[in-house]
Amino acid sequence: MQRRTFLKLSGAGVCSSVYPIVGATASNVINITPKAGEINIVGPQFPATQVWGFDGQVPGTPIRVKLGQTVRATIHNALKVPTAVHWHGIRLPNAMDGVAGLTQPPIAPGESFEYRFTPPDAGTYWYHSHVNAYEQVGRGLYGPLIIEEESPPEVDRDLIWMIDDWRLNDDAAIVDNFNSGHDRSHAGRIGNVPTVNGRFRDSVKVRKGERIRLRLINASNARNFALTFGDLNPTVIAIDGQAIEPYQSSDAIVIGAASRVDLIIDMTGDPRATVAVVDSFYRESFELTKFVFSKEILRESALDKSVALALPTLPTPDLANALKQDVVVAGGAMGGLKRAQLDGEWMGLRWIAQQGYVWAINDVVGNKLDMPPLIETKRGTSIHLNLRNESAFPHPMHLHGHHMKLLSINDKPLSQPRWVDSPLLLPDQTMELAFVADNPGDWLFHCHALEHHAAGLGSLVRIT
C-alpha cells in the first residue's frame, strides 16, 4: 500500500502517545518474553497487525533503572524461531552483548537466557533482537532502556518516543518481503507507515508552559528522520545516550537509524493550539505526530531551570599515539564497487551479488561473524578512525560495546565534539572518530541499516 493511502484513510485521533514508563524496581530483575502478538497500528478502520514483540507488545516492555544498578533480564523465547537480545549503546561485558553466533548461542524456542550487566553510563538506550534482525526488528522486537541520571533536569514529563516505520499491505498486515534484493542494494527496508510507539498519526496532549523531556529512539530498520517541531524550540541535551552542552538549532533534528536524541521542549503554544512534528529527511515530508494543547495553562512562561546534564566521563583517546584506521564503505546500487574479497578471495561484484552480498568495508565483504577483524589491538589502545562513504546511500555505523568521539565531518572539526555509538554517515561524506579500546572481546562494527549489514556491510573489532 502507498503511504498516501494511509494518510487519506486514517484519522488523527487526539489520543496520547505517551509511552508508559515503569520506575526502577528494587531488585531490577526483569522477565521478558519475545512472542507473537497483535497491535492496532493504523486505527480502527483497519484490522490489527500481527507482530512479534517483547511480551507481545510494541514497543516492548520498558526497562528503567538507576545508574549503578545491575540489570538482570531473563529472556524466555516463546517464538517459533531462535532469537537473542542486544542492549544497544551499553558498554557492557562482551558475553552480555547479545549477538548470537559471536557472543552467545541463539536462544532456541522454549529456552531462556539471563543477561546480567551494570550500565556504566546514564542515558537513553534501547534493546532489540540480534538474530535475523532485518526481520525480527522489522516485526517489532525492540524496547526502550533508560538509565536514570543521578541529577536529571527538572521537567514536568519524561516521554519516550520509539519512532519506526512499517511496510504494510492494504489489510494492515506486514509485507513479508524481508531482506529483499532491492532493500539490500538500495536504502534498506523503508516502510510506508511511520509510527510513534507503534501508532500511526497519533497525537500528544500537552499544557501551555509544560516542560517535557522527549527521548527519541529510532527503532526503524533503515529509515532516518529529520524532525522539525513547528514554532517550538527544542533544546538538544544528549545524543546516543551521552550528554552534550545544550543547544538549540533552527535546522531539523536528524536521528539516524538506531540513534537516540534527548530533547527538552517548553510548550510555549497557546491553549487549544496544534503543533505538527514533521519529518523531512526524504524528498516527501510528512507529519509524524502532533502536539495538541489543552485549555489548561500550567505556567505562562518557560520553566527557569537548567537543562544541562553532567557531561560524559568516558576515557579520552590519545590521538598522538592512536592506532589509525581508514574505513571505506562501498557497494550497493550506483556504488561503484567493482570487486572485493569474499571469504578471502577476490571476486567481481557480479559473482559477489550472486551470493547475496553487495557491500564491503575496505573491499572486504562481511559475510560471517568469524571473519578476520578489521581492527585487532590490545586493551587500552586509542583508535583513530577515518570513515568515508563512497556509496549512494546513508549508513548509520554502529560500534558495539563502546562510544566513539565524533571529531570532524568532511574535514571540518566540530565546535562541540560528541560521543556517539551510531553516527549517520551520509553519501560522499567523511567522518573522523576516536575511542579507547578498553572493553575486551570481539565487537561488531556494522551498518545499522539492517539489510545492509545482512548484505555484507559489517566487520569486527577485536580487543585482547
Side-chain angles (χ1 to χ4, degrees):
M1 173 178 279
Q2 296 296 317
R3 183 180 60 81
R4 60 175 53 92
T5 305
F6 276 117
L7 293 175
K8 179 179 178 181
L9 295 179
S10 296
V14 183
C15 305
S16 174
S17 62
V18 177
Y19 191 58
I21 297 175
V22 177
T25 61
S27 63
N28 301 303
V29 176
I30 303 149
N31 289 279
I32 298 175
T33 302
K35 63 181 181 180
E38 62 177 37
I39 61 173
N40 196 300
I41 293 177
V42 289
Q45 301 95 323
F46 294 89
T49 300
Q50 303 298 312
V51 299
W52 296 351
F54 291 108
D55 293 324
Q57 63 188 34
V58 180
T61 302
I63 300 174
R64 190 178 183 99
V65 298
K66 296 182 183 299
L67 182 64
Q69 292 182 316
T70 297
V71 174
R72 292 178 55 191
T74 301
I75 308 300
H76 307 281
N77 186 8
L79 297 170
K80 296 181 180 179
V81 295
T83 193
V85 178
H86 170 55
W87 311 91
H88 192 108
I90 301 294
R91 297 187 297 140
L92 76 183
N94 187 255
M96 297 289 103
D97 195 43
V99 180
L102 180 67
T103 65
Q104 69 171 86
I107 309 170
E111 293 188 354
S112 300
F113 185 91
E114 183 187 72
Y115 296 92
R116 186 180 302 195
F117 55 90
T118 305
D121 309 303
T124 301
Y125 305 95
W126 64 303
Y127 65 97
H128 60 82
S129 165
H130 220 294
V131 174
N132 294 335
Y134 52 82
E135 177 177 7
Q136 295 199 10
V137 172
R139 291 189 183 275
L141 280 171
Y142 55 78
L145 171 59
I146 308 301
I147 314 301
E148 295 178 344
E149 298 93 0
E150 294 178 347
S151 300
E154 183 178 333
V155 296
D156 299 300
R157 276 194 289 171
D158 186 329
L159 305 185
I160 301 169
W161 284 5
M162 296 203 79
I163 55 178
D164 192 7
D165 66 338
W166 302 75
R167 188 176 291 179
L168 302 183
N169 283 315
D170 290 358
D171 60 355
I174 294 174
V175 178
D176 194 10
N177 64 342
F178 292 100
N179 206 25
S180 71
H182 182 276
D183 292 344
R184 290 163 73 91
S185 61
H186 288 71
R189 185 180 173 94
I190 305 297
N192 55 356
V193 181
T195 58
V196 174
N197 297 335
R199 299 177 70 173
F200 173 65
R201 298 199 80 179
D202 210 345
S203 303
V204 184
K205 291 182 179 179
V206 296
R207 299 164 292 173
K208 178 179 175 63
E210 185 176 14
R211 173 167 286 183
I212 289 177
R213 178 175 183 170
L214 180 58
R215 301 174 186 263
L216 297 168
I217 304 172
N218 187 347
S220 61
N221 275 35
R223 180 183 287 274
N224 307 301
F225 291 82
L227 301 182
T228 53
F229 293 78
D231 292 333
L232 301 175
N233 294 301
T235 299
V236 181
I237 63 169
I239 295 174
D240 282 359
Q242 302 299 315
I244 60 172
E245 294 285 352
Y247 74 91
Q248 290 182 332
S249 174
S250 57
D251 297 329
I253 294 169
V254 176
I255 311 102
S259 188
R260 290 88 59 214
V261 176
D262 284 43
L263 304 175
I264 297 291
I265 307 179
D266 288 304
M267 294 298 163
T268 54
D270 295 326
R272 302 189 185 279
T274 298
V275 177
V277 180
V278 176
D279 175 71
S280 59
F281 189 88
Y282 301 97
R283 285 178 296 180
E284 184 182 359
S285 61
F286 60 85
E287 180 182 302
L288 177 66
T289 185
K290 60 186 177 183
F291 294 108
V292 177
F293 284 76
S294 70
K295 63 181 180 180
E296 181 182 353
I297 299 176
L298 182 62
R299 57 180 68 91
E300 290 290 347
S301 57
L303 187 64
D304 186 19
K305 299 283 186 179
S306 172
V307 299
L309 298 167
L311 294 178
T313 57
L314 282 77
T316 302
D318 179 5
L319 296 182
N321 297 293
L323 173 64
K324 294 185 177 181
Q325 177 67 58
D326 290 331
V327 179
V328 179
V329 175
M334 305 170 287
L337 182 68
K338 293 181 172 57
R339 61 197 294 266
Q341 294 183 67
L342 178 64
D343 292 326
E345 297 184 22
W346 284 96
M347 300 182 185
L349 182 59
R350 177 180 297 181
W351 292 102
I352 292 171
Q354 288 180 357
Q355 309 302 314
Y357 301 100
V358 292
W359 298 96
I361 292 178
N362 291 2
D363 293 333
V364 176
V365 176
N367 64 319
K368 53 189 177 181
L369 294 174
D370 60 350
M371 62 186 297
L374 171 71
I375 299 171
E376 184 170 5
T377 190
K378 292 189 178 298
R379 183 177 185 178
T381 303
S382 291
I383 308 295
H384 190 177
L385 299 175
N386 286 287
L387 274 60
R388 185 167 75 252
N389 184 358
E390 294 185 349
S391 81
F393 299 99
H395 301 290
M397 299 300 296
H398 175 45
L399 175 62
H400 287 221
H402 297 78
H403 269 73
M404 303 173 286
K405 197 164 194 177
L406 179 57
L407 304 172
S408 72
I409 298 176
N410 289 337
D411 298 322
K412 182 179 179 180
L414 271 64
S415 59
Q416 183 185 172
R418 58 181 182 264
W419 293 98
V420 294
D421 60 58
S422 306
L424 182 60
L425 185 66
L426 298 175
D428 299 319
Q429 191 176 67
T430 61
M431 278 186 176
E432 179 189 14
L433 305 109
F435 68 98
V436 178
D438 60 349
N439 200 353
D442 282 3
W443 300 99
L444 269 183
F445 179 47
H446 66 99
C447 177
H448 218 282
L450 300 174
E451 294 72 30
H452 292 176
H453 184 203
L457 197 43
S459 60
L460 291 179
V461 175
R462 177 170 295 159
I463 302 170
T464 58

